[in-house]
Amino acid sequence: MVEWLERSTKAESPGVLKAGNSPKNLAYWQGRKTEIAQVQQWLTDENTCLIGIEGIGGTGKSMLAAKIYAEIAGFPKRFWADVSNGEGFSDVAREVLTQFGFPVPEQEAQLVEALVRCLRSGQFLLVIDNLESLLQPDRQWGSLFYGEFFQTWIESGGNSKVLVTTRERPELKGFAWLPLKGLQVDEGVALLAELGIKGDLGEFVELVDGHPLLLRLVADLLKEEYSQDPDLSRLADLGLGNLRQLLTDSQVVGVHRRENVGMVLVLDASFARLSELQKALLLNISVYRGAVDSAASVALLPGSTEPEIEAELRNLVKRSLLVEKLNGKRRFEFQPVVLEYVRYKAGEQTEAHQRAIDYYRSIAKQSPWTTKDDVQEYLEIFHHFYQLQDYDSAFDALWFCDDFLTLRGYYIDQVELYGQLVSKWAEIGDRENWNYRAALTSLGNAYRSLGEYQRAIEFHKQSLEISRKIGDRNGVGNSLIGLGNAYDSLGEYQRAIEFFQQSLEIFREIGARDGVGKSLNNLGNAYNSLGEYQRAIEFHQQSLEIKREIGDCNGIGSSLNNLGNAYNSLGEYQRAIKFYQQSLEISREIGDRNSVGNSLIGLGNAYCSLGEYQQAIEFFQQSLEISREIGDIRGEATVWFNLGLTLEKVNRESDALGAYRNARELFQKMELDAYVQRCNNKIERISQPQTLVVSLRGFWGWLRRLWRWLRSWLRR
């Protein structure tokens, strides 16, 4: 048990962000004056931007951070993020940006830059609690983009400060580290005295090395069991009479190990004094992630009433086995160390996980959904099936809301969740599982949406190889479409056409009308990019007909938008506008924000071609806002470039130059060299006339100065 407790908790799937104000209760605070002074010095040092508080579980890292968070001056805005469930960077960054009043892009690469820019713009305090939950056993980052954020923040810095608490240091230089140990003897004595404990307090504090959580657990145990006489001499009656002997045993080497041994002994004693209902309650709710309310707790203990369970939850708070949170609704959560202990005690938790799944199913929202919170129950169901190693059921829960996650641009969530499933199926060798191949394809699609085209190609190739090997022709067709889209995004249109043609033949052979429609639509896009507009129109019209036959609203909207693109390329702008308007209406109706953005781009292009530049600019601005929100980096780059073209036409060269530079930066991130060069050409063309004007002005000034000198000389 001690060895298990010594290991850091590692979250196995992304959790729910617990954020906002510090959740720590600072009642009975004692000491830490030296530590507070050190952290305050770093917080006022302009050369220190990243501070870490490191220590074993229960030493009070979070409490110290909470004390500083609550009382430090000079930070008008501050944010507390508890990442103990391994939350993804996107959730943390979005919430921080929202709370600090900054626009929120959803694409991860943009979020790093946006968060750093936000922190550099003011004097903010960002606390990230329980950082160790984001690390793998090798101290590398388990969730995407955290390492990039910290490295970028170290390199750029600013007036804001980032403070982390962790049991384990990441492999990253640039932190100012405060190794945190137990309370000083006098501080520990003061804490026990304030809690009403009697006896030889100094001796006991010294025995347990001033470990704050251990002191609280002992104090609360004594007060609950012997409220009239909570004396340390009573520990023998609680089965802790041999505590001194065990902690001073020669086999218990090192301060940290002594603290862990003491923690286990005290937790054992506390657990043994609980009622059967309290024990069952703790063991069962330990399967949940984050804070839970009484309703969620009752769901795991059939036969109990909600008032009864809430009363017991509050009793467990009195014993420091749970922490109570009051934020509109009463909720309860574990101290990380206590959670590890309880999960170890619980052992196999199949029944509890299954009841948690049933509970989330009972409260899950039905579509239509608007925000990620609306599908959170399905993501929790995914987590519990994943813990049960029922990966197919976990996939089903994720697949149920996959279209929503795609339409709303939650690509990074798809990458992390499908990535976990793919890793497990690859590990167990379940290559013939349809869900495995679908997860590979979904991973490829998500990476393409994030602009990581080479990684997308890798996953689509894996899916294609497996599908061909087992004879899954539908899977082969879908993988070919994925590869075609990735190469199309890279500008390799002929190669993309080859993949689309292969997928079209397969879908026609097996009678998959939906697949035929997708292949035709993608062929139209590729031919449009090659300048073969009439051929593109033929493919899009065929696709539109099929999509209408099968009632695929999303496909209808896509085909209409692409027809608009083709007619716009042919110079038939009014006809293009009609198609864009139809596509826009459908996309808005079904909540496909990515397609809404594409239709707005098309409308902007058409109105620009008609000379209605202000209306075009308005459409581009609307599209730009959506692209940023959903993380469509390719869409954002395209909008910036087209906006630059339009701004040039209204003689706003300076604004156009900024738009081209923004587009170039995004195309560079996607490693699209051809598009980068197009931006460079525009930038150079605008810049050169400006340079010439400056030179002419300088030459004219020189001539005027020469003329004045000549006149002066002649007058002599």
Side-chain angles (χ1 to χ4, degrees):
M1 171 62 200
V2 174
E3 287 76 8
W4 192 86
L5 188 61
E6 287 172 347
R7 298 197 298 270
S8 297
T9 301
K10 304 296 179 188
E12 297 206 33
S13 58
V16 185
L17 177 65
K18 297 179 290 183
N21 292 327
S22 164
K24 306 301 177 183
N25 185 346
L26 295 174
Y28 305 109
W29 175 267
Q30 291 293 337
R32 299 296 197 191
K33 292 182 180 179
T34 302
E35 292 90 341
I36 291 174
Q38 176 62 80
V39 175
Q40 286 180 329
Q41 179 185 333
W42 285 330
L43 289 172
T44 56
D45 179 9
E46 62 180 18
N47 296 317
T48 303
C49 62
L50 190 53
I51 303 163
I53 302 175
E54 178 197 22
I56 67 169
T59 52
K61 302 180 296 296
S62 299
M63 292 292 289
L64 176 58
K67 181 74 170 176
I68 292 165
Y69 183 90
E71 298 181 0
I72 189 71
F75 294 95
K77 290 186 178 181
R78 55 195 73 189
F79 187 89
W80 181 285
D82 181 350
V83 296
S84 56
N85 286 303
E87 288 69 18
F89 177 78
S90 62
D91 287 332
V92 175
R94 290 170 194 159
E95 191 68 23
V96 173
L97 289 168
T98 299
Q99 293 297 322
F100 287 170
F102 284 75
V104 182
E106 295 221 3
Q107 205 278 331
E108 292 293 57
Q110 293 174 303
L111 280 169
V112 170
E113 181 183 348
L115 183 55
V116 170
R117 192 186 309 120
C118 160
L119 293 173
R120 283 180 57 82
S121 70
Q123 193 167 4
F124 308 134
L125 176 61
L126 171 60
V127 175
I128 301 179
D129 193 21
N130 297 305
L131 186 73
E132 74 279 345
S133 296
L134 305 174
L135 302 176
Q136 299 291 347
D138 59 359
R139 296 198 293 166
Q140 299 301 313
W141 301 102
S143 187
L144 297 176
F145 296 100
Y146 275 107
E148 182 182 345
F149 163 68
F150 282 115
Q151 187 62 55
T152 304
W153 178 240
I154 289 170
E155 292 171 356
S156 60
N159 292 328
S160 295
K161 305 295 180 183
V162 178
L163 172 66
V164 308
T165 72
T166 185
R167 297 192 217 175
E168 194 173 1
R169 297 187 186 187
E171 287 284 354
L172 182 66
K173 296 180 180 179
F175 277 86
W177 285 107
L178 174 69
L180 192 65
K181 299 180 180 179
L183 296 171
Q184 298 293 324
V185 173
D186 60 332
E187 297 171 345
V189 168
L191 173 61
L192 290 176
E194 190 168 351
L195 290 168
I197 304 304
K198 304 173 184 177
D200 193 340
L201 306 184
E203 181 186 25
F204 185 76
V205 171
E206 195 169 358
L207 176 66
V208 299
D209 298 302
H211 192 285
L213 179 57
L214 203 157
L215 292 173
R216 282 298 301 263
L217 286 167
V218 167
D220 290 340
L221 176 61
L222 287 170
K223 288 195 296 182
E224 284 298 304
E225 297 300 326
Y226 307 106
S227 57
Q228 300 301 316
D229 184 25
D231 193 287
L232 289 170
S233 61
R234 296 279 194 174
L235 289 177
D237 301 330
L238 297 172
L240 292 171
N242 61 344
L243 187 62
R244 166 172 288 282
Q245 177 184 346
L246 289 171
L247 292 183
T248 56
D249 191 296
S250 59
Q251 294 183 359
V252 182
V253 180
V255 173
H256 288 177
R257 185 164 180 82
R258 285 170 55 197
E259 290 166 338
N260 284 322
V261 168
M263 183 68 68
V264 171
L265 292 171
V266 173
L267 286 170
D268 278 341
S270 296
F271 194 81
R273 307 294 291 190
L274 300 179
S275 69
E276 292 304 313
L277 178 58
Q278 289 172 334
K279 290 178 183 177
L281 182 56
L282 277 181
L283 295 174
N284 279 276
I285 67 172
S286 67
V287 300
Y288 284 123
R289 302 186 296 173
V292 298
D293 57 18
S294 54
S297 303
V298 168
L300 303 189
L301 292 166
S304 302
T305 65
E306 195 166 330
E308 178 185 15
I309 290 299
E310 180 153 325
E312 294 299 354
L313 288 167
R314 297 179 74 176
N315 285 332
L316 291 168
V317 170
K318 295 178 182 178
R319 293 175 177 268
S320 291
L321 296 174
L322 291 176
V323 177
E324 186 174 359
K325 299 177 68 177
L326 282 172
N327 188 14
K329 187 175 183 181
R330 195 183 302 275
R331 298 168 70 83
F332 305 86
E333 66 180 354
F334 285 93
Q335 290 265 14
V337 174
V338 178
L339 178 60
E340 293 173 27
Y341 171 85
V342 172
R343 283 182 174 171
Y344 179 85
K345 294 283 289 186
E348 186 270 327
Q349 292 178 287
T350 301
E351 188 175 350
H353 279 296
Q354 189 57 59
R355 284 179 176 164
I357 290 167
D358 294 339
Y359 168 68
Y360 283 121
R361 280 176 172 163
S362 71
I363 64 171
K365 296 181 179 70
Q366 298 302 310
S367 60
W369 304 304
T370 304
T371 67
K372 185 181 171 185
D373 286 341
D374 293 335
V375 298
Q376 191 59 50
E377 286 76 21
Y378 298 101
L379 301 183
E380 293 303 314
I381 291 169
F382 169 94
H383 163 75
H384 289 286
F385 274 127
Y386 188 89
Q387 297 302 313
L388 290 173
Q389 300 181 17
D390 185 350
Y391 305 123
D392 287 318
S393 295
F395 173 88
D396 291 340
L398 182 56
W399 193 255
F400 187 75
C401 54
D402 181 75
D403 284 345
F404 169 81
L405 295 174
T406 300
L407 294 177
R408 293 291 173 173
Y410 291 108
Y411 308 125
I412 193 59
D413 295 280
Q414 292 173 310
V415 165
E416 293 194 351
L417 297 172
Y418 282 120
Q420 291 176 60
L421 293 174
V422 163
S423 296
K424 287 297 181 182
W425 277 319
E427 184 181 314
I428 62 180
D430 194 4
R431 291 170 59 86
E432 297 186 6
N433 187 332
W434 182 90
N435 292 342
Y436 177 36
R437 302 193 303 282
L440 284 168
T441 299
S442 296
L443 259 181
N445 291 336
Y447 273 117
R448 173 178 171 264
S449 298
L450 289 170
E452 299 190 33
Y453 303 124
Q454 292 300 336
R455 295 196 74 176
I457 288 169
E458 291 173 13
F459 286 110
H460 286 308
K461 282 183 175 178
Q462 290 180 49
S463 176
L464 178 62
E465 179 187 351
I466 297 171
S467 296
R468 279 177 170 164
K469 186 174 182 180
I470 66 175
D472 177 9
R473 305 208 71 200
N474 188 71
V476 169
N478 286 325
S479 298
L480 289 168
I481 285 181
L483 282 167
N485 284 328
Y487 281 109
D488 184 84
S489 297
L490 285 169
E492 299 185 33
Y493 305 121
Q494 288 292 355
R495 195 167 187 183
I497 286 171
E498 293 173 9
F499 286 118
F500 293 142
Q501 286 285 10
Q502 293 176 50
S503 69
L504 179 61
E505 291 172 13
I506 290 172
F507 285 131
R508 279 176 170 165
E509 287 175 9
I510 65 177
R513 298 283 284 165
D514 180 57
V516 170
K518 289 179 180 177
S519 299
L520 290 167
N521 198 33
N522 289 320
L523 277 167
N525 287 335
Y527 278 110
N528 189 67
S529 298
L530 288 172
E532 299 186 34
Y533 307 125
Q534 288 294 347
R535 196 168 186 184
I537 288 171
E538 293 172 10
F539 282 121
H540 289 315
Q541 286 176 333
Q542 294 176 54
S543 173
L544 178 61
E545 183 179 342
I546 291 172
K547 294 300 182 180
R548 281 174 170 162
E549 284 178 10
I550 64 178
D552 179 2
C553 291
N554 183 261
I556 293 170
S558 178
S559 296
L560 288 167
N561 187 76
N562 292 332
L563 278 167
N565 290 337
Y567 280 110
N568 189 64
S569 299
L570 285 170
E572 299 185 34
Y573 306 124
Q574 291 295 349
R575 196 169 185 180
I577 287 171
K578 290 180 181 178
F579 283 116
Y580 289 137
Q581 290 286 11
Q582 293 176 55
S583 174
L584 180 62
E585 184 178 345
I586 291 172
S587 299
R588 280 176 170 163
E589 187 176 325
I590 65 176
D592 184 351
R593 303 205 71 198
N594 184 61
S595 295
V596 169
N598 289 334
S599 298
L600 289 167
I601 290 176
L603 285 166
N605 290 334
Y607 278 105
C608 180
S609 298
L610 288 170
E612 299 184 33
Y613 303 124
Q614 189 54 47
Q615 194 160 357
I617 290 171
E618 290 175 7
F619 282 123
F620 287 138
Q621 287 174 335
Q622 292 176 50
S623 179
L624 184 62
E625 183 179 343
I626 291 173
S627 297
R628 284 171 166 174
E629 287 177 0
I630 68 171
D632 180 8
I633 188 171
R634 181 66 175 266
E636 184 182 350
T638 302
V639 175
W640 277 120
F641 187 84
N642 292 345
L643 189 56
L645 295 174
T646 309
L647 291 168
E648 274 196 87
K649 294 181 183 296
V650 293
N651 299 317
R652 292 170 56 183
E653 285 81 4
S654 178
D655 292 335
L657 192 62
Y660 290 137
R661 285 170 175 163
N662 288 338
R664 180 177 63 182
E665 182 180 349
L666 294 171
F667 284 130
Q668 284 173 336
K669 286 183 178 179
M670 294 181 284
E671 299 181 358
L672 298 178
D673 295 337
Y675 292 93
V676 172
Q677 187 56 48
R678 288 177 65 189
C679 294
N680 284 334
N681 292 341
K682 293 291 183 181
I683 292 169
E684 289 173 11
R685 190 175 61 79
I686 294 177
S687 300
Q688 283 174 355
Q690 291 178 339
T691 303
L692 180 59
V693 168
V694 171
S695 299
L696 287 173
R697 285 174 179 168
F699 179 70
W700 181 244
W702 178 81
L703 284 176
R704 282 188 297 178
R705 289 194 299 273
L706 177 61
W707 174 242
R708 285 196 298 268
W709 180 82
L710 283 172
R711 281 193 307 174
S712 175
W713 184 80
L714 289 171
R715 285 172 184 165
R716 294 176 189 174

